[in-house]
Every structure is written in structure tokens, then in C-alpha cells.
Amino acid sequence: MTTYRDIVNQSLRELGVLHSGEVASDKEGAAGLTALNQMLNSWIYDGIDMEHTTATGLTDTIPYPDDHHSAFAYNLALRLAPQ
């Protein structure tokens, strides 16, 4: 099962912040989770209602189908890139 930490780690790898096999620190993970929650909640205003409930833990399992996970990771990477 994919966790929120997995999505954050994949996003940071796409940005070159993490290398293969590395994981985000707790601080980076928490910042990534906050950004991911904000992103999914903001999609409602774009007409994409994921019925998102704010995730509180990085180890929580993502309640969306597997084919959504890459979209989350790539969009999160775009959101994190300026930071």
C-alpha cells in the first residue's frame, strides 16, 4: 500500500532533492505532506473533487487508486519546485 510518505519521497526524487533509496527527513516529509494536503484541497476550486480528507500522518495509506499516485507525485513536485 502506498503511503503519503511514498508520494512525498517520489516528488522529491523527481526534483533531484533525494537520490534513489533516500527518504525525506521528518521535517521535509511534514512540509511535503502539508503541501500535498493543500494541493488536493485546492483542486476542488479547479473542478477536481477528490473528496480529500486532510491526511495527518506520513505513514497513512493513500485512499486513492494506484493509478492516481503518479499524478499526485508529479503535481506535488511542481508545487514544491519553487521552494
Side-chain angles (χ1 to χ4, degrees), residues 13-55:
R13 284 188 197 104
E14 291 298 329
L15 291 170
V17 174
L18 297 177
H19 298 287
S20 179
E22 285 186 310
V23 296
S25 68
D26 289 341
K27 185 177 178 180
E28 291 168 327
L33 182 61
T34 297
L36 180 60
N37 278 319
Q38 291 171 345
M39 180 186 78
L40 292 174
N41 287 326
S42 73
W43 285 1
I44 292 171
Y45 301 109
D46 294 327
I48 304 168
D49 187 0
M50 300 296 296
E51 298 180 13
H52 178 65
T53 303
T54 300

Side-chain angles (χ1 to χ4, degrees), residues 8-18 73-74 77:
V8 171
N9 287 334
Q10 183 179 349
S11 297
L12 293 174
R13 284 188 197 104
E14 291 298 329
L15 291 170
V17 174
L18 297 177
Y74 287 115

Side-chain angles (χ1 to χ4, degrees), residues 51-67:
E51 298 180 13
H52 178 65
T53 303
T54 300
T56 58
L58 284 166
T59 59
D60 293 347
T61 301
I62 294 186
Y64 303 105
D66 290 345
D67 61 350

